[in-house]
Amino acid sequence: MRHRAYSRAELARLVEPRSIAVVGASAREGAFGARVLENLAHYSGELYPVNDRYPRIGLLECYPSLKALPQRPDCVVIAVPREGVEPVIDEAAALGVGGAVVFSSGFGEVRAAEWHATQARIVRRARAAGLRMLGPNCMGFVNQSLRAGLTFIPEYARMPHRAGPVGIVSQSGALGYAVAQAAERGAGFSHFFSAGNSADVDVADLVSYLAEAPECRSIALVLEGIGNAQRLLDSGDRAWRAGKPVVVYKIATGEAGAAAARSHTGSIAGSQAANRALFERCGFVQVGELEALFETARFFARAGRPLGSGVAVVSGSGGAGVIAADMAERHGVPMPQPRAHTLEKLRGIVPEFGAARNPCDPTGQVLNNPESFKQCCTALLDDDQYGALVIPLGVALRGAGAERVVQIRELAAQYDKPICTVWISEWLQGPGSADYEDEPKATLFRSMDRCFAAIAAWQMRSRQVLAETRSRLSPPDALQRTHAILDAAGEALGERESKRILAAYGVPAIEERVSRNADEAVRAAREAGYPVVLKIDSAQILHKTEAGGVRLDLGNDAAVRRAFEEIVASARDYAPQAEIRGVLVQPMAARGVEAIVGARVDPQVGPIVVVGLGGVMVELLGDAVTALAPVSPSEAREMINRLRGRVLLEGFRGARPADLEAFALAVARISELIADGADRIAEIDVNPLVCRPDGVQALDALVVKQKD
Amino acid sequence: MRHRAYSRAELARLVEPRSIAVVGASAREGAFGARVLENLAHYSGELYPVNDRYPRIGLLECYPSLKALPQRPDCVVIAVPREGVEPVIDEAAALGVGGAVVFSSGFGEVRAAEWHATQARIVRRARAAGLRMLGPNCMGFVNQSLRAGLTFIPEYARMPHRAGPVGIVSQSGALGYAVAQAAERGAGFSHFFSAGNSADVDVADLVSYLAEAPECRSIALVLEGIGNAQRLLDSGDRAWRAGKPVVVYKIATGEAGAAAARSHTGSIAGSQAANRALFERCGFVQVGELEALFETARFFARAGRPLGSGVAVVSGSGGAGVIAADMAERHGVPMPQPRAHTLEKLRGIVPEFGAARNPCDPTGQVLNNPESFKQCCTALLDDDQYGALVIPLGVALRGAGAERVVQIRELAAQYDKPICTVWISEWLQGPGSADYEDEPKATLFRSMDRCFAAIAAWQMRSRQVLAETRSRLSPPDALQRTHAILDAAGEALGERESKRILAAYGVPAIEERVSRNADEAVRAAREAGYPVVLKIDSAQILHKTEAGGVRLDLGNDAAVRRAFEEIVASARDYAPQAEIRGVLVQPMAARGVEAIVGARVDPQVGPIVVVGLGGVMVELLGDAVTALAPVSPSEAREMINRLRGRVLLEGFRGARPADLEAFALAVARISELIADGADRIAEIDVNPLVCRPDGVQALDALVVKQKD
């Protein structure tokens, strides 16, 4: 597995070719090979149609093969049927071509093993020759700075040429191109890539490329599968360091698979929680709807760093101003009132029947005195409380807007604070909208909700601390001891073995004594001190309470004797095949807040750790936070802070606060365990981990091994 | 206060005039009086400009006054400055005109009391003469069936004439007209109304009008304030009975005021919870964003009754099909797999590399065989599992779409199941979109999320049972007894008086004994039986726990004695001015699930009742359900069912289930109390109401009187 994403230099001949050959070029209208030539009509480099059936196509000379070309092309577009792809790749590889785009479908995405093998062979040969391949089963790509559409989509040739700061990356060509069509209404992009089967170059590589491409200032990513999580992390890191925000819309968010998990952790931290954790670590901004993707990416392309946490609104419609305030509250964005000196300025501009406040309504007088609108904006932008300005645009009027656009352009040039215009009218491409779309310094939203969601994400993102350097928490022999326990344990681990693994990683757990009969149980109980807890000891019984295998708060010998017999009988009843090794005796733990800490190896994302509070908080309400493992103690602390139920830990209703540092340390240690042991451990459940003012203690634990 | 909304007959001369006079008509370009004439250029009735400065305007004869007109007009549009409005209304009222539209602002919405008085006077005179007035401070209205724009907005005259099934009602003219501009992209409406100051006719009246207007099949409502809740309920009832779904977007959703409430209820059931409760009782569908309003209303105009709970998706793009499945899961809409015979049909149509399932992907072969698309749709629409069909539309292509629209039109004509098309492309008004907009039998969405949100709301709405007839639960003298307790109580009520009011309404509460000194407390404790609870008894101390005024689980005389002294000392410390009547002694209640039942009189919505579970569920997580009071026991049961924490009541982790019928009955009784006593009681808190397998019991109660 390749964990490093390709750099811009590695992809330059594919994405920024100085010469392109189109194999399968065609003169037949509508054919892929004809459409590609059309989409390259404005391409400034050398263009070579290749097809032995034509001497020329249009004004271009046509060549019978790649070998016959007057020069070695940087990139080859392969517009031939599936069966013809492999020989072309071979020929290109032999010639030293730098990149290939393969449209044809029917390779890795179909059932037939034969074509999987062909795809694998093609990739191997291409890589050996340093040939980077996009596809197969893709729609190709567009590089606006070269005016090059290496794609068969029929619309690109007729699309208005408009470069913009957003690079679009998608596995699905149709979804990605649907986003790129924003250019048709006036909002340009820098690149559009469809990765298709991602046999060689995948979305992580394309994000990595865009991180270095100067025309691109932010990245809009439509993601279906994760592919290789390490490579995505690498690309996220490159984009972060390059200061290029990545906005991701993840499709395929179904959780049907989560139900199959064996432990609690699986059900409370499903694949979407794992994905979110990955995106957070990547530094990606996640949006929940496709229509938010491009707008949000455009906003981030321009937003810079927040210079104030508040947002000011200037609106000629009272209603639109109210909606802005509603959405600010919904997304937790502050809309403070202006400072005294700002207020004074506004009062000098806004008439009495207007609103000299935030939201500011300069009223219809702006029709008579257009400067007053700009003066209100200036007064608010000068106020250091405000980091952004939102301007709702109401009813679309023919002939209106042009003057306002100029004012907004002037404001945007003058201030380093983002300006957002919000198009309210259902006349979606009404008069003036194209001017706002085309404005490079302000962002046009078509939804107040999405505008404030983007602002909230921007404020959060700037507050986010980059993943810190983690130092090891556990002793050097911890993994070695874990392996020994796993080796001895057979298929599944009981509570005792699970706790021994926790102990190896320094997670405190309650002590226990093993008893094989009632007499031993009574002896153990006296040693532990009453009251005690009895639990069944069997590696095959994962859910002890369900099996009737737990008795709490036993106060004397008789109760222990009775409980021993009942537990064993219940467990035999529940799981007749289970090997029952005896009954564990533990002292009854002191009260505290019950937390749950889990970890598992997600098949796509890798090792993750999840933390929640016990009982209703996590079971009924799903109040849990997931992160990629390992996390440092301070990252674990941050996870705990994000729990809605955290006040329970902080001393709810007069209780003493729990030891949050000890809690965070235990979470970090468990995350280190799953990260270390990911190849052998599938899931870990510590439930409950009791959090008290004087520390934490695991009362029960379950480690599930990976299936071989 | 008028609690009944105007009927269509009462508003007919205003909204469906056979003749219109425009007072303040003007020949000066851009003047309100000129724009109105432009917007009436296609009006089919008699049109009379009125202005003594012109003999004619354009081709129309102009009259010096209303009296000078050749006939009494049905409706007068008053396009004169504020100062001139009152005389015109007087003249119109004297003539027996049926309706008036007043644009001018500066009446009830400004501070000057003088103009409030003028507005009130105008309304009084108009009403006395049977003259219905829209405004003042409004944008007027549009009646598409008359092609009449009684509005000064400059765009209507040039808007494409396109009637549609949605009536648009808004207080804010700018927001409402921004929605109506959907007609500019091809999606028509039947009426647009802006109610402005709503001095006479308000949004409730306009909803009521549309309920009876045959051109309108659903109503899109932008609402700022509630106005009169009874009138809104009346209009909701009329619309429901007429089978016209009302979709509402509420603006001004801030909760800043909730913090000021004196009891728990105020903070857990703020004004938005009250509004939602009102809308539910009205039968309205609520949307959370302006951009969802028109689409959703158009969907409901066409949707009819669900004939199956599942949704089928036919998509040529795999990615769009996946998004559909994601959004179905997000909104709880089932997307079942086809039945066996449907599957067989699909397999005969869909090629091997497509997807003969749900979502169905007939692949690019539809380009060669367009019928195959329709065949897939037909197969799925014939399957009785599916109540609706969703068709994502991907990349917008010039020249494409026309054939697909025809197919969808044919399908829509053939089936009584709604068909939704979803425009994926960011080319918002791309090729073909106007055809889809114009299609009367299918609804075009521009967001998959909103499409499935609308489908989910449609499925829920059809399941919703109309408010049942409630029979009285409490004895005939309950209110009389309550009044007596309130009369005696002075400003605030202590726990004892509050519980006596509950008792009058049949809500079981724990018994208590009053003690004025430690000896009496010990005697009371012995009578009640140990262990006991002691609580401070003071009408001025609403939050007893905060005051250190509660001690639980006291097991003997000495503990009671000590607790008595401590409680009194703490309370004196906490509230030196409070009159301390003594200490209440109660038996320690048996364990159960602690619920909270509250009620309050919302200033806009009226009496409401709220139910939640105690502790973290409601305090940290806001898990509470609000309804208009009174509710019947079965409606209360439905409220309880909607709590996320309801499983705690149903026997969580092996506990015995609580008596839900008794719980629901108590909620219904408390709702009857607030409804009966709304003029004197401000808030009621029953916290906790303990729910046990054998019934419920209020352990504490607080009744707050209305301020005089």
Side-chain angles (χ1 to χ4, degrees):
Chain A
M1 268 305 212
R2 178 168 58 91
H3 288 327
R4 202 183 54 79
Y6 288 135
S7 67
R8 180 183 174 206
E10 288 172 295
L11 293 173
R13 290 180 71 203
L14 171 67
V15 182
E16 304 163 20
R18 278 159 306 176
S19 52
I20 301 172
V22 180
V23 179
S26 174
R28 186 167 52 83
E29 206 189 331
F32 277 27
R35 290 201 218 137
V36 177
L37 288 183
E38 268 177 52
N39 290 335
L40 289 166
H42 302 286
Y43 169 58
S44 49
E46 295 298 324
L47 180 61
Y48 303 110
V50 176
N51 190 332
D52 60 9
R53 284 160 53 200
Y54 303 100
R56 359 187 16 97
I57 296 178
L59 298 173
L60 295 170
E61 187 175 350
C62 190
Y63 299 86
S65 69
L66 288 176
K67 279 187 283 288
L69 297 181
Q71 63 161 291
R72 181 183 73 180
D74 274 340
C75 183
V76 175
V77 180
I78 303 178
V80 302
R82 174 167 71 168
E83 288 70 16
V85 171
E86 192 171 4
V88 179
I89 289 284
D90 282 346
E91 195 182 355
L95 275 175
V97 170
V101 176
V102 183
F103 299 140
S104 175
S105 55
F107 290 91
E109 82 282 13
V110 293
R111 287 202 191 145
E114 172 196 354
W115 291 104
H116 286 244
T118 307
Q119 177 173 311
R121 212 159 47 231
I122 288 173
V123 172
R124 234 173 9 248
R125 291 201 199 136
R127 284 190 179 156
L131 173 73
R132 303 286 165 246
M133 182 177 73
L134 191 65
N137 187 30
C138 79
M139 225 179 238
F141 74 91
V142 171
N143 182 339
Q144 287 285 54
S145 63
L146 303 181
R147 297 196 66 176
L150 291 80
T151 174
F152 58 85
I153 192 122
E155 290 298 303
Y156 178 67
R158 280 176 284 187
M159 181 186 267
H161 179 67
R162 206 179 295 271
V166 177
I168 300 163
V169 176
S170 177
Q171 281 167 287
S172 156
L175 291 181
Y177 200 76
V179 173
Q181 287 196 309
E184 300 275 6
R185 61 166 211 249
F189 59 92
S190 71
H191 303 75
F192 152 71
F193 294 104
S194 97
N197 284 6
S198 309
D200 176 28
V201 174
D202 75 354
V203 295
D205 297 311
L206 296 165
V207 167
S208 163
Y209 169 83
L210 289 173
E212 292 183 75
E215 306 86 3
C216 167
R217 290 182 50 204
S218 74
I219 298 160
L221 172 59
V222 182
L223 196 61
E224 190 157 354
I226 296 296
N228 182 297
Q230 288 304 322
R231 199 151 70 231
L232 203 64
L233 281 164
D234 183 36
S235 74
D237 190 48
R238 287 166 189 247
W240 185 278
R241 282 186 284 116
K244 309 246 177 117
V246 179
V247 181
V248 62
Y249 173 59
K250 172 76 174 71
I251 72 168
T253 57
E255 286 286 10
R262 293 175 75 192
S263 73
H264 251 74
T265 301
S267 55
I268 60 176
S271 55
Q272 290 325 302
N275 289 338
R276 273 194 300 275
L278 175 63
F279 298 152
E280 273 181 26
R281 189 63 67 84
C282 286
F284 292 176
V285 173
Q286 198 176 354
V287 293
E289 290 86 33
L290 182 63
E291 55 270 26
L293 181 64
F294 188 76
E295 274 180 4
T296 308
R298 265 177 90 93
F299 172 80
F300 272 99
R302 296 153 176 174
R305 290 188 162 280
L307 299 173
S309 66
V311 171
V313 176
V314 178
S315 172
S317 145
V322 172
I323 295 177
D326 289 345
M327 295 305 163
E329 183 169 322
R330 179 185 288 181
H331 293 288
V333 172
M335 265 182 60
Q337 286 310 311
R339 293 198 192 282
H341 62 274
T342 310
L343 215 48
E344 205 175 305
K345 280 192 252 175
L346 290 179
R347 286 195 184 121
I349 309 161
V350 176
E352 208 189 330
F353 52 100
R357 59 193 309 281
N358 187 22
C360 173
D361 181 358
T363 77
Q365 77 148 357
V366 296
L367 297 176
N368 305 323
N369 175 15
E371 265 307 294
S372 69
F373 168 80
K374 200 177 156 193
Q375 286 162 354
C376 288
C377 296
T378 302
L380 290 162
L381 283 165
D382 282 337
D383 190 322
D384 64 356
Q385 293 185 101
Y386 302 117
L389 176 66
V390 171
I391 301 170
L393 306 166
V395 172
L397 296 176
R398 288 176 183 81
E403 192 172 57
R404 181 68 51 88
V405 171
V406 174
Q407 289 181 321
I408 290 172
R409 186 168 306 148
E410 288 166 1
L411 289 167
Q414 208 179 330
Y415 292 91
D416 275 339
K417 299 179 175 184
I419 298 177
C420 304
T421 48
V422 182
W423 190 261
I424 305 285
S425 174
E426 286 279 335
W427 192 358
L428 301 167
Q429 290 178 220
S433 69
D435 296 328
Y436 288 105
E437 299 278 14
D438 200 27
E439 174 47 48
K441 301 282 270 182
T443 304
L444 180 62
F445 286 90
R446 275 186 172 73
S447 151
M448 195 72 82
D449 180 48
R450 297 200 298 263
C451 173
F452 278 90
I455 290 172
W458 170 62
Q459 292 178 339
M460 289 294 294
R461 186 171 189 271
S462 67
R463 280 184 225 135
Q464 194 182 12
V465 180
L466 263 176
E468 61 188 75
T469 316
R470 275 170 292 271
S471 47
R472 254 197 101 70
L473 301 166
S474 49
D477 66 342
L479 182 58
Q480 196 187 331
R481 285 165 60 195
T482 300
H483 278 304
I485 298 165
L486 290 169
D487 289 342
E491 258 182 282
L493 277 72
E495 178 177 338
R496 285 177 63 211
E497 294 91 337
S498 299
K499 281 194 197 152
R500 281 176 54 215
I501 290 179
L502 289 184
Y505 274 81
V507 178
I510 199 158
E511 55 166 332
E512 72 240 321
R513 289 163 175 81
V514 190
S515 64
R516 275 158 303 175
N517 55 48
D519 287 339
E520 285 184 22
V522 167
R523 199 158 44 242
R526 288 179 184 167
E527 282 169 26
Y530 283 107
V532 295
V533 174
L534 263 60
K535 291 177 178 174
I536 194 72
D537 182 18
S538 166
Q540 284 82 48
I541 298 178
L542 302 188
H543 303 291
K544 292 187 278 279
T545 304
E546 278 178 28
V550 180
R551 288 288 188 289
L552 303 175
D553 212 4
L554 304 168
N556 53 51
D557 293 359
V560 166
R561 237 172 249 289
R562 200 165 47 244
F564 185 97
E565 305 301 344
E566 284 170 8
I567 281 176
V568 171
S570 291
R572 288 237 163 83
D573 218 43
Y574 175 81
Q577 309 302 324
E579 181 211 348
I580 292 174
R581 295 180 290 200
V583 170
L584 303 180
V585 180
Q586 300 171 352
M588 184 75 191
R591 282 193 168 193
V593 179
E594 294 198 350
I596 170 166
V597 184
R600 69 179 180 87
V601 181
D602 184 84
Q604 292 213 49
V605 167
I608 58 173
V609 61
V610 56
V611 59
L613 296 188
V616 294
M617 295 302 294
V618 66
E619 291 192 37
L620 300 186
L621 305 167
D623 183 23
V625 174
T626 303
L628 295 206
V631 294
S632 70
S634 68
E635 287 165 337
R637 189 76 169 72
E638 187 49 44
M639 293 173 72
I640 294 165
N641 282 345
R642 284 163 60 187
L643 291 171
R644 282 178 290 163
R646 69 186 171 283
V647 294
L648 293 175
L649 293 160
E650 290 162 351
F652 189 58
R653 288 183 166 171
R656 280 175 62 206
D659 183 346
L660 293 180
E661 298 311 320
F663 185 15
L665 187 59
V667 173
R669 288 180 187 281
I670 291 165
S671 79
E672 192 164 280
L673 164 58
I674 193 78
D676 281 359
D679 55 340
R680 298 195 63 193
I681 299 176
E683 300 178 36
I684 302 167
D685 258 342
V686 180
N687 182 13
L689 181 82
V690 176
C691 302
R692 306 194 195 93
D694 59 347
V696 300
Q697 192 176 40
L699 300 194
D700 199 350
L702 169 64
V703 172
V704 180
K705 286 167 82 169
Q706 294 277 15
K707 290 201 181 70
D708 290 326
Chain B
M1 267 305 211
R2 177 169 58 91
H3 288 327
R4 201 183 55 78
Y6 288 135
S7 66
R8 181 183 173 205
E10 289 173 295
L11 294 173
R13 291 180 71 203
L14 171 68
V15 182
E16 303 163 21
R18 278 158 305 175
S19 52
I20 301 172
V22 179
V23 179
S26 174
R28 187 168 51 83
E29 205 188 333
F32 276 27
R35 289 201 218 138
V36 177
L37 288 183
E38 268 177 51
N39 290 335
L40 289 166
H42 302 287
Y43 170 57
S44 48
E46 295 298 322
L47 180 60
Y48 303 112
V50 177
N51 191 332
D52 59 11
R53 285 160 54 201
Y54 303 99
R56 352 186 25 91
I57 296 177
L59 299 172
L60 295 169
E61 188 174 347
C62 190
Y63 299 87
S65 69
L66 287 176
K67 278 188 283 290
L69 297 182
Q71 63 160 292
R72 181 183 74 182
D74 275 341
C75 182
V76 175
V77 180
I78 303 178
V80 302
R82 174 167 70 167
E83 289 68 17
V85 170
E86 191 171 6
V88 178
I89 288 283
D90 282 345
E91 195 184 355
L95 275 175
V97 169
V101 177
V102 184
F103 299 139
S104 173
S105 55
F107 291 91
E109 82 281 12
V110 293
R111 288 205 187 142
E114 173 196 355
W115 291 104
H116 284 244
T118 308
Q119 177 173 310
R121 212 158 51 231
I122 288 173
V123 172
R124 231 171 15 245
R125 292 201 197 133
R127 284 194 179 154
L131 173 74
R132 304 283 165 249
M133 183 177 74
L134 190 66
N137 188 31
C138 79
M139 225 178 239
F141 74 92
V142 171
N143 182 338
Q144 287 286 54
S145 64
L146 304 182
R147 298 195 65 175
L150 290 82
T151 174
F152 59 84
I153 191 122
E155 289 298 303
Y156 178 67
R158 281 176 281 185
M159 181 186 269
H161 178 67
R162 206 180 297 269
V166 177
I168 300 162
V169 176
S170 176
Q171 282 168 286
S172 156
L175 291 181
Y177 200 77
V179 173
Q181 288 197 308
E184 301 275 8
R185 58 164 213 250
F189 59 92
S190 71
H191 304 75
F192 153 70
F193 293 105
S194 96
N197 284 6
S198 309
D200 175 27
V201 174
D202 76 354
V203 295
D205 297 312
L206 297 165
V207 167
S208 164
Y209 169 83
L210 289 173
E212 293 184 72
E215 306 85 4
C216 166
R217 290 181 52 202
S218 73
I219 298 160
L221 173 60
V222 182
L223 197 62
E224 189 156 354
I226 296 296
N228 182 296
Q230 288 303 320
R231 199 151 70 232
L232 203 63
L233 281 164
D234 182 37
S235 74
D237 190 47
R238 288 167 189 248
W240 184 278
R241 282 186 284 114
K244 309 244 176 120
V246 179
V247 181
V248 61
Y249 173 58
K250 174 76 173 70
I251 70 169
T253 57
E255 286 286 9
R262 292 175 75 194
S263 74
H264 250 75
T265 301
S267 54
I268 63 177
S271 54
Q272 289 325 301
N275 290 337
R276 273 194 301 274
L278 176 64
F279 298 152
E280 273 182 26
R281 190 64 66 85
C282 287
F284 293 176
V285 174
Q286 199 176 353
V287 294
E289 290 86 33
L290 182 63
E291 55 271 27
L293 181 65
F294 187 76
E295 275 180 2
T296 308
R298 265 177 88 91
F299 171 79
F300 272 98
R302 297 154 177 175
R305 289 186 162 281
L307 299 173
S309 67
V311 171
V313 176
V314 178
S315 173
S317 144
V322 172
I323 295 177
D326 289 345
M327 295 305 163
E329 182 170 323
R330 177 185 290 182
H331 293 287
V333 172
M335 265 182 63
Q337 286 309 311
R339 291 197 194 283
H341 62 273
T342 310
L343 214 50
E344 205 174 305
K345 280 192 252 174
L346 289 179
R347 285 193 185 125
I349 309 162
V350 176
E352 210 190 328
F353 51 100
R357 59 192 309 280
N358 186 23
C360 174
D361 181 358
T363 76
Q365 77 148 356
V366 297
L367 296 176
N368 304 321
N369 175 14
E371 266 308 293
S372 67
F373 168 78
K374 201 179 154 192
Q375 287 161 353
C376 288
C377 295
T378 302
L380 290 162
L381 284 165
D382 282 336
D383 191 323
D384 64 355
Q385 292 185 103
Y386 303 116
L389 176 66
V390 172
I391 301 170
L393 305 166
V395 172
L397 297 176
R398 287 176 185 83
E403 191 171 60
R404 181 66 52 89
V405 170
V406 173
Q407 291 181 322
I408 289 171
R409 186 168 305 147
E410 289 165 1
L411 289 166
Q414 207 180 330
Y415 292 90
D416 275 339
K417 299 178 176 184
I419 298 177
C420 304
T421 47
V422 182
W423 189 263
I424 305 286
S425 174
E426 286 278 337
W427 192 358
L428 300 168
Q429 290 179 218
S433 69
D435 297 328
Y436 287 106
E437 299 276 14
D438 201 26
E439 173 47 48
K441 303 281 272 181
T443 304
L444 180 63
F445 286 89
R446 274 187 173 73
S447 150
M448 193 73 81
D449 180 47
R450 297 200 298 262
C451 174
F452 277 91
I455 290 172
W458 170 62
Q459 293 179 338
M460 288 295 293
R461 185 171 189 271
S462 67
R463 281 185 224 137
Q464 194 180 14
V465 180
L466 263 177
E468 60 188 79
T469 317
R470 275 169 290 271
S471 47
R472 256 197 100 67
L473 300 167
S474 49
D477 65 342
L479 183 58
Q480 197 188 332
R481 285 166 61 196
T482 299
H483 278 305
I485 299 165
L486 291 169
D487 289 342
E491 259 182 282
L493 278 72
E495 178 177 338
R496 284 178 63 209
E497 295 91 336
S498 299
K499 281 196 199 152
R500 281 176 55 213
I501 290 178
L502 289 184
Y505 274 80
V507 179
I510 200 158
E511 55 165 334
E512 71 240 324
R513 290 163 175 80
V514 191
S515 63
R516 274 157 305 176
N517 54 50
D519 287 338
E520 285 185 20
V522 166
R523 198 157 45 242
R526 289 180 184 167
E527 282 169 25
Y530 283 109
V532 295
V533 174
L534 264 60
K535 290 177 179 175
I536 194 73
D537 182 19
S538 168
Q540 284 83 48
I541 298 178
L542 303 188
H543 302 291
K544 293 188 278 281
T545 305
E546 279 179 26
V550 180
R551 287 288 188 287
L552 303 176
D553 213 5
L554 305 167
N556 53 49
D557 294 357
V560 166
R561 239 172 248 289
R562 200 165 48 242
F564 185 98
E565 305 301 345
E566 286 170 6
I567 282 177
V568 172
S570 291
R572 287 234 164 84
D573 218 43
Y574 176 82
Q577 310 301 323
E579 182 210 346
I580 293 173
R581 294 181 291 199
V583 169
L584 302 182
V585 181
Q586 300 171 351
M588 184 75 190
R591 281 194 168 193
V593 179
E594 295 199 350
I596 170 165
V597 184
R600 70 178 180 88
V601 181
D602 184 84
Q604 292 213 50
V605 166
I608 57 171
V609 61
V610 57
V611 58
L613 296 187
V616 294
M617 296 299 297
V618 67
E619 290 191 39
L620 299 186
L621 305 166
D623 183 22
V625 174
T626 303
L628 295 204
V631 295
S632 70
S634 69
E635 288 166 337
R637 189 77 170 71
E638 187 48 43
M639 292 173 73
I640 295 165
N641 282 345
R642 285 163 59 187
L643 292 170
R644 282 178 290 164
R646 69 186 171 283
V647 294
L648 293 176
L649 294 160
E650 290 163 351
F652 188 60
R653 287 184 167 172
R656 281 176 63 205
D659 182 346
L660 293 179
E661 298 311 320
F663 184 14
L665 187 60
V667 173
R669 289 180 186 281
I670 292 165
S671 79
E672 194 164 280
L673 165 57
I674 194 77
D676 281 359
D679 54 340
R680 298 195 61 194
I681 298 175
E683 300 178 36
I684 302 168
D685 258 341
V686 181
N687 181 14
L689 180 81
V690 175
C691 303
R692 305 193 194 95
D694 59 346
V696 300
Q697 193 175 39
L699 300 194
D700 199 351
L702 169 63
V703 172
V704 180
K705 286 168 82 169
Q706 293 278 13
K707 291 200 181 71
D708 291 325

